[in-house]
Amino acid sequence: MTDGPDAATLARHALERDVVLAPGNAFSLSGSACGFLRFNVAQCDDERIFSVLEEITRAP
């Protein structure tokens, strides 16, 4: 468990903005990756990813 925001919550907020992120627990057998996100790095040339990441991580 981390002190940061829950990745599943962040992934839901990103999906509302048409950006697909996968919460870390989807890839964790122990369920201990709730503070991590995965996304397709081949899509990194799409500036929306970074603007959405900034927006959702700053929201209260």
Side-chain angles (χ1 to χ4, degrees):
M1 189 79 172
T2 66
D3 293 333
D6 178 63
T9 300
L10 293 178
R12 280 192 297 277
H13 289 304
L15 190 57
E16 291 169 359
R17 292 155 180 83
D18 297 321
V19 171
V20 177
L21 303 173
N25 277 346
F27 303 92
S28 172
L29 293 176
S30 67
S32 62
C34 65
F36 298 93
L37 291 166
R38 285 187 173 197
F39 60 96
N40 186 339
V41 296
Q43 303 295 322
C44 284
D45 60 340
D46 184 347
E47 190 59 37
R48 288 180 320 122
I49 291 172
F50 299 103
S51 62
V52 167
L53 279 172
E54 183 176 7
E55 180 184 343
I56 65 175
T57 56
R58 290 180 184 230

